[in-house]
Amino acid sequence: MSAPGAAGSGRSGGTAADWGGFEDNMQGGGSAVIDMENMDDTSGSSFEDMGEMHQRMKEEEEEEAEGEAGGGEGGGGEFLGMKGLRGQLGRQVADQMWQVGKRQASRAFSLYANIDILRPYFDVEPIQVRARLLESMIPVKMINFPQKIAGELYGPLMLVFTLVAILLHGMKTSDTIIREGTLMGTAIGTCFGYWLGVSSFIYFLAYLCNAQITMVQMLSLLGYGLFGHCITLFVTYNIHFHSLFYIFWLGVGGLSTLRMVAVLVSRTVGHTQRLILCGTLAALHMLFLLYLHFAYHKVVEGILDTLEGPNVPPFQRVARDIPVISNSVLNTTAKAVALTL
């Protein structure tokens, strides 16, 4: 009983041993049922499947080509992006420079347009102006220390306008015919041109000669120096004597010139520099007075004649009397005409 059992058990054990691997595979690998729905039937490919595969491969190639083209465009875009970045930086720098320049220009314009800057040069009392007018006729011999110069422009500006008015008055008293215009523009140009032009020229010479003077001081000094010119011209335009003019020219004009020369001498170091600077200023100042008295009227009349033509009276018709012819002359003329006919 035991033997067959043992044999049976051995047979069964061998069978178990033989099928053990299969059972392990079946149990460990999963279910033995095959799902046919999940199976892909590739054994029988048709023309439709081949067409689909071909279309799919073609689409993939096109996508790869587009990707390469996109990569090239991306590189170009990157290059264009760098150029655009540089252009943007350039525009930002130019815009910043424009803003800085505009800010500085507006600041300078507001600086020079502000009336408060000019206020110190015109903030002066009438008593001070009167004292400075008298001082402009009194030379002071002081060379060791620089003489004080008034840094205001109210008095000089009023003297320039006074000189303009005196010139216009002199044109009227000299019987100068004004045609189709006024002489105010010429007088203003002459007086302001001398004041500003000579002041700038003397300031340039003072800079070369190392004189201690500013442009405002030079304008004030030369402007107050015109006080002697105003007195001389006002008197000699109303009293027409050449001898009187020369007396005032040497006396009044010479005193105002000596005042300016003394101030420049006290502010200049060196004999040669003093001679050049003071000699130039004295010559210009005295010659300008001679020009205003003798040559200004003739020059203005010449300008008017050049612009408007000579002063010729207009053509007028004048009635003339016809002489009376005697009767004998008429009879003789009539007989001669009758005989000829």
Side-chain angles (χ1 to χ4, degrees):
M1 295 289 298
S2 61
S9 62
R11 191 181 300 111
S12 61
T15 303
D18 294 336
W19 293 91
F22 179 75
E23 292 177 356
D24 294 338
N25 291 331
M26 292 296 294
Q27 293 176 1
S31 177
V33 180
I34 298 175
D35 188 4
M36 297 303 293
E37 294 180 358
N38 296 329
M39 294 294 290
D40 188 10
D41 187 8
T42 58
S43 58
S45 298
S46 62
F47 289 101
E48 294 179 359
D49 297 335
M50 292 298 294
E52 292 178 359
M53 291 177 64
H54 181 70
Q55 185 69 23
R56 189 180 301 170
M57 291 176 64
K58 188 175 180 181
E59 290 178 357
E60 291 178 357
E61 290 179 358
E62 291 179 356
E63 290 177 359
E64 290 179 359
E66 291 177 358
E68 292 178 358
E73 291 178 359
E78 184 180 357
F79 178 74
L80 291 175
M82 291 297 295
K83 292 179 65 177
L85 181 61
R86 293 176 182 175
Q88 186 177 3
L89 289 176
R91 286 193 297 270
Q92 289 179 357
V93 172
D95 188 24
Q96 186 176 2
M97 293 178 63
W98 169 257
Q99 293 295 333
V100 172
K102 183 178 179 181
R103 194 181 303 113
Q104 292 180 355
S106 61
R107 186 182 304 171
F109 180 76
S110 62
L111 180 66
Y112 287 101
N114 194 356
I115 194 63
D116 292 335
I117 300 174
L118 300 177
R119 184 176 297 175
Y121 302 111
F122 294 91
D123 189 9
V124 60
E125 297 294 333
I127 299 177
Q128 296 177 350
V129 174
R130 184 181 60 185
R132 289 166 184 171
L133 289 175
L134 295 177
E135 290 177 358
S136 65
M137 303 296 298
I138 303 174
V140 179
K141 187 178 179 181
M142 185 175 64
I143 302 176
N144 297 327
F145 298 97
Q147 298 185 20
K148 185 178 179 180
I149 302 176
E152 53 94 7
L153 300 177
Y154 176 78
L157 188 62
M158 293 299 104
L159 283 173
V160 172
F161 281 115
T162 304
L163 185 60
V164 170
I166 292 173
L167 289 179
L168 295 176
H169 174 69
M171 296 296 290
K172 292 180 179 180
T173 56
S174 62
D175 297 331
T176 301
I177 300 174
I178 303 174
R179 299 179 302 275
E180 298 180 1
T182 177
L183 298 176
M184 185 175 293
T186 306
I188 290 176
T190 302
C191 297
F192 276 93
Y194 172 78
W195 181 43
L196 298 177
V198 174
S199 296
S200 302
F201 180 68
I202 297 299
Y203 174 73
F204 177 71
L205 284 182
Y207 176 77
L208 295 179
C209 297
N210 198 18
Q212 299 177 0
I213 191 170
T214 62
M215 186 63 188
V216 176
Q217 291 176 343
M218 191 65 231
L219 288 171
S220 179
L221 182 64
L222 187 62
Y224 277 109
L226 293 175
F227 181 58
H229 287 34
C230 292
I231 295 175
T232 302
L233 293 176
F234 181 75
V235 173
T236 55
Y237 277 164
N238 293 286
I239 303 175
H240 301 282
F241 291 106
H242 291 296
S243 58
L244 180 64
F245 168 75
Y246 286 116
I247 293 173
F248 273 85
W249 180 66
L250 291 175
V252 180
L255 287 177
S256 62
T257 304
L258 287 178
R259 167 66 179 179
M260 294 189 296
V261 168
V263 172
L264 289 180
V265 167
S266 65
R267 290 176 172 267
T268 309
V269 178
H271 297 286
T272 305
Q273 290 83 355
R274 290 174 178 174
L275 181 62
I276 294 173
L277 185 61
C278 299
T280 304
L281 178 60
L284 290 176
H285 201 65
M286 298 297 287
L287 289 176
F288 181 65
L289 183 56
L290 287 175
Y291 166 76
L292 292 180
H293 182 77
F294 291 104
Y296 177 74
H297 295 175
K298 296 180 180 179
V299 170
V300 173
E301 289 178 357
I303 293 174
L304 292 176
D305 291 338
T306 302
L307 296 177
E308 302 177 3
N311 187 14
V312 179
F315 178 75
Q316 297 179 355
R317 296 182 178 272
V318 180
R320 292 179 295 177
D321 297 332
I322 299 175
V324 179
I325 303 175
S326 61
N327 293 329
S328 60
V329 175
L330 291 176
N331 293 331
T332 307
T333 305
K335 291 178 180 179
V337 173
L339 289 174
T340 55
L341 293 176

